[in-house]
Amino acid sequence: SHQVDIPKDALRGATYRVGVKSVLFTVSNHTFFGNTVHGKPTPFRTPVSEEGGTFFTVSDIHAQPGGAIHAVSAQFDRLDFIVCLGDWRAAGTTYPCWWISWPRSAGGELPVVYVRGNHELLGEEAERLQAYIPTPNGEFYYTLAYNNAYFLINDLAFNKADAYPGFSGLSDGENYRTHQTAFVEQAVSEAEAAEAAYFVHLSHIPISTETVPLRQNLKGIVDLLNDAADVSICGHTHHFRVESPSVRVHFPVVQQGG
């Protein structure tokens, strides 16, 4: 696979096309190239929103993207970007099978933000997910800014204890989540320094989960977000629900999926 990084300020509002040059053969240190084939020109959209961002979130399609693509298509002209909240993979499917079809639905005109789900942690080629979905920092927890909005993406791994028999001792989710506490602390400081008007938290598993031991394991992250986040949006639960702020989680949590 190939990856090209283009600054968003250079891409917004620009028309681009992708070219592929064939390699005929290489002799010693000299390469002989053939023709270059170009794709059709594609306009990359300018932001629809002057502040914040208008985005569409989808999750838990389990390798059946038809309904989600149809829903996005109906809202396409209103969107600044699309958020995939994880569990796009079904058991037995390979990564290119389910992932490649989704950016195509964005038509190459919109950014696509990815949040890793627990299904993407399992099975064949799971360790190669970065090859298909690169992130700004090489991790599946990262941040992004859009206009005056700040987005924090957490990767909460599984909603089961590491001792769960199905993991056969191979899961280290507790340390993985705890390791992200320092990252969240830095992200909160960055958002404050940038004077972001909106702070949106994204994860696959709800940050408000009551599952033991995740509730205790995530306490440090939740405490940091309580002073910063306006809302958290997640998937995983396969039903729509808006959790009101509580004593433990001081911001609303929007659940969806399936």
Side-chain angles (χ1 to χ4, degrees), residues 119-205:
H119 272 248
E120 284 83 76
L121 283 161
L122 299 170
E124 183 182 358
E125 294 189 328
E127 75 282 357
R128 296 189 60 230
L129 185 57
Q130 276 283 352
Y132 301 111
I133 311 173
T135 59
N137 60 356
E139 303 285 354
F140 285 108
Y141 50 89
Y142 57 96
T143 62
L144 63 94
Y146 200 90
N147 290 334
N148 58 345
Y150 190 89
F151 293 82
L152 168 63
I153 293 89
N154 265 139
D155 182 10
L156 304 185
F158 295 102
N159 65 330
K160 294 181 173 64
D162 291 342
Y164 176 68
F167 296 154
S168 302
L170 298 177
S171 176
D172 193 25
E174 182 173 347
N175 286 329
Y176 182 63
R177 287 183 290 270
T178 303
H179 175 72
Q180 293 177 54
T181 305
F183 157 76
V184 173
E185 184 175 17
Q186 180 180 349
V188 169
S189 296
E190 289 178 355
E192 291 176 350
E195 298 182 345
Y198 309 98
F199 190 113
V200 180
H201 175 265
L202 302 171
S203 63
H204 175 67
I205 295 171

Side-chain angles (χ1 to χ4, degrees), residues 84 98-99 112-117 120 129 133 140 142 153:
C84 306
W98 56 265
W99 173 250
V112 179
V113 178
Y114 179 72
V115 182
R116 183 164 66 171
E120 284 83 76
L129 185 57
I133 311 173
F140 285 108
Y142 57 96
I153 293 89

Side-chain angles (χ1 to χ4, degrees), residues 42-101:
T42 301
F44 200 85
R45 295 256 294 274
T46 55
V48 173
S49 307
E50 295 183 1
E51 68 161 3
T54 303
F55 56 97
F56 197 97
T57 63
V58 286
S59 71
D60 299 88
I61 65 168
H62 297 288
Q64 300 184 47
I69 290 174
H70 177 75
V72 169
S73 298
Q75 305 293 331
F76 194 81
D77 292 339
R78 299 179 58 230
L79 301 179
D80 291 308
F81 56 94
I82 302 165
V83 177
C84 306
L85 285 171
D87 274 12
W88 283 71
R89 187 187 191 204
T93 59
T94 58
Y95 283 106
C97 173
W98 56 265
W99 173 250
I100 290 175
S101 65

